[in-house]
Amino acid sequence: MNTLQKKLLYSMKKIRQVELAIAAKYSEQQMRCPVHLSIGQEAVAAAVGACLEKTDSIVSGHRAHAHYLGVNGSLKGMIAEIYGKVTGCSKGKGGSMHLIDKSVGFMGSTAIVGGTIPVGVGFGLAIKKLKQQHVACVFLGDGAIEEGAFYESANFAALHKLPVLFICENNEFSVYSPLEVRQPKQRLISEMVAGMGIESAQYDGNDVELIHQVTTAAVQKIKAGQGPQFLEFATWRWLEHCGPNEDDDLDYRCQKSNSKWRDRDPVQIFEKKLMDQKLVSESEIKDLHNSIDIEIKAAFEFALTSAFPTQEDLFEGIYG
Amino acid sequence: MGNSRTMKFTNAINEALSIAMEADPGVIVYGLGTPDPKGIFGTTLGLQERFGPDRVFDMPTAENALTGVAIGAALGGLRPVMSHQRLDFFLLAMDQLVNNAAKWNYMFGGNNPVPITIRLIIGRGWGQGPTHSQSLQSWFAHIPGLKVVCPSSAKDAKELLLASIFDPNPVVFLEHRWLHNSVSDVPAGDVRGVLGKAHKLTEGDDVTVIGYSVLIPEALRAINYLKENHNINAELIDLKTISPLDWDTIFTSVKKTGRILAMDTSHEQCSVASEVISRVSRDCWSSLKAAPQLLALPNCPTPTSHELTKDYYFDASDIAKSIMQLMKHQTKDFAHLKSPGAHDVPGTWFNGPF
Ligand SMILES: Cc1ncc(C[n+]2csc(CCOP(=O)(O)OP(=O)(O)O)c2C)c(N)n1
């Protein structure tokens, strides 16, 4: 494996294993906040994260664990945050839906759909005005595309040729609502955005190397001053919208699609590809798996043994 | 009319919606997730099957525009009912609500009413945190032209929702998530309550307690306990509608008791409770025997950590304490009045995540 492949494999597996660990422990009722897991959507976060640098500015929404981990946000800080501990990345104030790790460029994720789209564009404005060679990256879903804030922000980013990378994960659902009750059937999100004057394309969101390749190209264009770039990736969320369980029994997604996408497990596809090319052996993958599990175990230990915030902390930070 | 049945809050909402849709073909019901398998916590289940996708439908994640659409549809002859799973999500629509819906009738010289009903759910607990548990009803109550309704029981939920839907004005209808599983007797049929009317739940000469929504069951526990054990008789007034406010009922009670405790589910600053105390201080000054008391949330965003929400909310024990202070009785420890179980869930029926 080359360095990039190693990085992508590690990153995807880490996201998968962390999310599975959260799902497994959620029923202990100690992570007392809503969690929106990204199982099935690891490839986009891992690949895009690998294209970004610490000096870039990344924002996301409610389903942000993967985006945060993809740019190597502190795992301990995230798990402690979900446990409501003072050592959490937001000191227990924000929970799973409000993550931040500025040391790696992850500038914040929030839970109001579309809420960080203009904020990300604002980071782009700052980068441009300060004449920096960085990019702002906005992670958003197909649901967030429907918010007025998206159109207003995209228009402004296009108008000022801002260095903004929009990464739209289209998992076809907003909670239980399929795309067809929310957007016209024949209209592709990426084509609509292209119509707004933003260079835009749609790709498979479960092929990590492809995602890395097209995102690298988009970042280069942004840095060359060609303005905002929009990438739409088709993917699938495996578990319920919010919470640790599967919910295929509710039948809001057709079983055919569910199994089609599960057969296209982005982590497995990449592992198999690397193994078929004899770039990695099964036992090496196992070793990687185990070393990630050790990292995860340490993060949960850290979270569980950390202190809770105290009443004095309640009024800390209302003003800056 | 007639027969009452014991019914859950969410079922009472569901029943009100179906009765409204039967009574008036112009009633349409929409909002994110309205026809989905969970049906807005059960409140809209079965409606699409019954009334069809023309009248009951999902929508794009576009709160502001779809509120404007409701306004236009209302002006065009329909009676839209919108539902939002959290009040917080609806903040995106403040423009359409405040700049258009609230004053359309007034700014065009009357004769242009906007009969829309906006259902908003207030979250609490299980780490709902800073953006999923805001109780911002006083924002709406501040705006002339809006009616703002906060039912405290399944019965009120049904009667007041029906009244809201058939009111000619824009109504913001606030359901507290923690009341969703509560039960009460609910009359059958098309029973429409009265908006703008408070309701006296207990009689008493000692103290007036003002509250609404999820605070009412808490206050009842405190008041019943104090009556039985300390011979304190409190008059509990459930505001039900926080705009317009039923000042007559409030003033009459305070003039009788001379003491007031006003409670709110929101931050204290600029809350409905502080408004009540302000008006009572001006209009009932000579009747007051003690400084008014107020219970509300701290002026601080809601933290997510369950450890930080332990003392963030108040309950029956705090209400009892406040009433004792008003009566100048020595306060006691009322810890036994706290609900059993974890502080951040309304009961065993709820264990997250939403
Ligand atoms: C303004 C607003 N409206 C509604 C919600 C409720 N909500 C939370 S996540 C979500 C789905 C958004 O779908 P999408 O953007 O595609 O992201 P996904 O959940 O698929 O990752 C909705 C509607 C919200 N948080 N904020």
Side-chain angles (χ1 to χ4, degrees):
Chain A
M1 283 190 292
N2 61 32
T3 331
L4 174 66
Q5 286 167 330
K6 267 189 192 154
K7 193 171 176 178
L8 294 177
L9 184 64
Y10 166 75
S11 189
M12 273 210 289
K13 285 182 74 67
K14 179 166 161 182
I15 295 166
R16 169 70 54 91
Q17 288 169 233
V18 168
E19 297 288 66
L20 284 174
I22 293 170
K25 289 178 193 292
Y26 196 74
S27 64
E28 292 170 9
Q29 307 210 336
Q30 291 188 47
M31 290 179 262
R32 298 176 87 84
C33 65
V35 289
H36 301 78
L37 303 181
S38 286
I39 296 174
Q41 304 186 198
E42 296 86 352
V44 173
V48 173
C51 297
L52 298 170
E53 295 172 46
K54 287 181 172 155
T55 42
D56 294 329
S57 297
I58 298 118
V59 295
S60 177
H62 56 286
R63 195 180 309 287
H65 296 180
H67 307 145
Y68 171 100
L69 294 174
V71 292
N72 210 16
S74 160
L75 176 59
K76 287 182 176 171
M78 181 177 108
I79 301 296
E81 187 59 35
I82 300 173
Y83 274 90
K85 298 299 180 82
V86 73
T87 52
C89 59
S90 303
K91 298 185 182 165
K93 299 278 176 54
S96 158
M97 298 190 288
H98 305 95
L99 302 176
I100 188 164
D101 186 348
K102 292 203 279 190
S103 73
V104 296
F106 194 88
M107 308 308 274
S109 61
T110 68
I112 297 299
V113 170
T116 54
I117 300 172
V119 177
V121 170
F123 275 111
L125 182 67
I127 290 167
K128 183 165 182 190
K129 297 283 176 201
L130 297 173
K131 300 194 168 40
Q132 296 164 336
Q133 266 297 300
H134 311 146
V135 301
C137 175
V138 178
F139 283 101
L140 69 164
D142 48 283
I145 293 288
E146 294 149 14
E147 291 290 3
F150 171 71
Y151 302 90
E152 299 172 29
S153 307
N155 178 57
F156 185 77
L159 175 70
H160 289 278
K161 284 199 154 195
L162 297 181
V164 182
L165 174 64
F166 294 97
I167 300 292
C168 177
E169 281 168 90
N170 184 348
N171 62 15
E172 300 180 35
F173 283 81
S174 168
V175 194
Y176 304 106
S177 306
L179 261 180
E180 63 256 30
V181 303
R182 301 180 285 119
Q183 298 178 28
K185 221 170 187 164
Q186 302 307 327
R187 195 187 67 194
L188 280 181
I189 290 173
S190 55
E191 284 176 3
M192 176 187 71
V193 176
M196 297 177 72
I198 295 183
E199 204 175 325
S200 172
Q202 190 215 33
Y203 298 99
D204 176 7
N206 283 18
D207 180 344
V208 72
E209 285 186 302
L210 170 75
I211 302 166
H212 185 268
Q213 187 194 327
V214 299
T215 307
T216 304
V219 168
Q220 272 165 5
K221 283 183 191 165
I222 291 171
K223 288 188 174 167
Q226 294 180 34
Q229 304 287 314
F230 185 98
L231 297 175
E232 176 188 352
F233 294 109
T235 186
W236 198 253
R237 140 173 80 73
W238 283 17
L239 301 185
E240 57 190 340
H241 165 71
C242 177
N245 304 307
E246 292 189 2
D247 67 353
D248 293 350
D249 56 308
L250 291 176
D251 268 343
Y252 65 100
R253 305 191 286 194
C254 84
Q255 300 302 355
K256 238 165 98 185
S257 301
N258 276 324
S259 49
K260 181 191 99 184
W261 280 100
R262 274 165 205 273
D263 290 345
R264 301 201 58 253
D265 176 345
V267 185
Q268 258 181 23
I269 289 174
F270 191 47
E271 286 178 351
K272 187 168 179 316
K273 184 171 162 188
L274 294 171
M275 286 199 287
D276 286 351
Q277 295 175 11
K278 304 260 184 286
L279 294 170
V280 70
S281 69
E282 208 169 331
S283 73
E284 282 170 316
I285 288 184
K286 215 165 183 182
D287 290 345
L288 178 61
H289 185 99
N290 292 339
S291 72
I292 292 171
D293 264 353
I294 290 170
E295 220 186 312
I296 294 172
K297 217 173 148 208
F300 276 86
E301 275 298 312
F302 172 79
L304 283 163
T305 53
S306 288
F308 281 109
T310 62
Q311 282 309 304
E312 281 103 81
D313 297 316
L314 181 62
F315 291 96
E316 277 295 311
I318 298 175
Y319 294 105
Chain B
M1 326 270 142
N3 294 353
S4 272
R5 297 101 347 118
T6 305
M7 204 179 227
K8 219 164 73 160
F9 194 110
T10 45
N11 294 341
I13 295 280
N14 188 277
E15 185 168 280
L17 290 169
S18 4
I19 289 170
M21 296 191 82
E22 265 164 23
D24 180 348
V27 174
I28 58 169
V29 173
Y30 68 92
L32 278 182
T34 297
D36 81 19
K38 293 288 166 83
I40 322 269
F41 308 112
T43 59
T44 56
L45 282 180
L47 294 179
Q48 191 180 54
E49 290 77 358
R50 187 149 167 219
F51 297 100
D54 281 348
R55 294 181 66 194
V56 181
F57 47 92
D58 213 318
M59 68 173 220
T61 324
E63 289 82 0
N64 193 35
L66 269 294
T67 302
V69 168
I71 295 168
L75 292 166
L78 300 180
R79 280 185 188 277
V81 182
M82 271 183 103
S83 308
H84 299 273
Q85 309 210 16
R86 283 291 180 276
L87 179 154
D88 317 63
F89 309 159
F90 182 72
L91 296 183
L92 275 68
M94 286 306 274
D95 165 48
Q96 285 297 329
L97 183 77
V98 175
N99 286 322
N100 277 343
K103 41 187 78 63
W104 197 274
N105 191 59
Y106 185 83
M107 72 189 172
F108 291 114
N111 219 10
N112 282 283
V114 181
I116 61 171
T117 302
I118 313 276
R119 292 178 53 217
L120 304 179
I121 291 158
I122 297 171
R124 173 173 162 183
W126 198 272
Q128 299 301 302
T131 60
H132 278 62
S133 53
Q134 294 174 92
S135 207
L136 301 176
Q137 58 277 9
S138 67
W139 287 27
F140 306 122
H142 186 67
I143 307 300
L146 297 179
K147 294 191 177 179
V148 187
V149 180
C150 300
S152 64
S153 68
K155 174 177 188 284
D156 285 354
K158 178 178 176 186
E159 294 179 350
L160 296 177
L161 183 56
L162 277 165
S164 300
I165 294 171
F166 293 109
D167 194 276
N169 300 288
V171 180
V172 181
F173 187 89
L174 295 133
E175 297 164 30
H176 200 286
R177 180 78 181 103
W178 281 26
L179 288 173
H180 268 164
N181 213 44
S182 69
V183 291
S184 77
D185 278 346
V186 176
D190 188 350
V191 282
R192 301 183 193 178
V194 182
L195 302 188
K197 190 87 195 81
H199 179 61
K200 207 196 297 173
L201 283 167
T202 59
E203 286 274 354
D205 293 331
D206 296 326
V207 193
T208 299
V209 178
I210 308 273
Y212 55 94
S213 184
V214 74
L215 300 172
I216 296 302
E218 286 295 317
L220 272 175
R221 274 220 315 270
I223 287 169
N224 289 337
Y225 178 81
L226 293 179
K227 186 185 174 86
E228 280 162 29
N229 296 280
H230 295 272
N231 199 27
I232 295 173
N233 293 299
E235 197 145 284
L236 177 61
I237 293 175
D238 180 355
L239 293 176
K240 295 195 194 193
T241 306
I242 59 167
S243 187
L245 270 168
D246 180 359
W247 293 113
D248 278 352
T249 300
I250 298 171
F251 293 163
T252 305
S253 177
V254 174
K255 281 176 181 159
K256 178 171 78 173
T257 64
R259 298 183 187 88
I260 177 169
L261 163 64
M263 309 182 296
D264 217 311
T265 59
S266 71
H267 307 296
E268 176 179 324
Q269 186 161 311
C270 300
S271 61
V272 173
S274 62
E275 173 70 12
V276 166
I277 287 182
S278 156
R279 283 287 304 270
V280 162
S281 305
R282 284 181 285 153
D283 289 49
C284 310
W285 178 248
S286 56
S287 313
L288 289 179
K289 300 174 191 158
Q293 292 265 357
L294 188 149
L295 282 172
L297 307 191
N299 295 320
C300 154
T302 311
T304 299
S305 176
H306 55 101
E307 192 62 28
L308 285 177
T309 55
K310 268 191 178 145
D311 293 323
Y312 188 81
Y313 296 98
F314 61 90
D315 58 24
S317 70
D318 304 290
I319 297 169
K321 236 182 259 173
S322 264
I323 295 173
M324 292 290 271
Q325 271 162 14
L326 262 177
M327 296 299 296
K328 304 217 162 52
H329 284 228
Q330 234 175 358
T331 59
K332 301 228 160 41
D333 176 27
F334 294 109
H336 58 282
L337 284 176
K338 287 190 184 299
S339 308
H343 78 281
D344 64 341
V345 288
T348 48
W349 60 275
F350 184 96
N351 45 21
F354 193 56

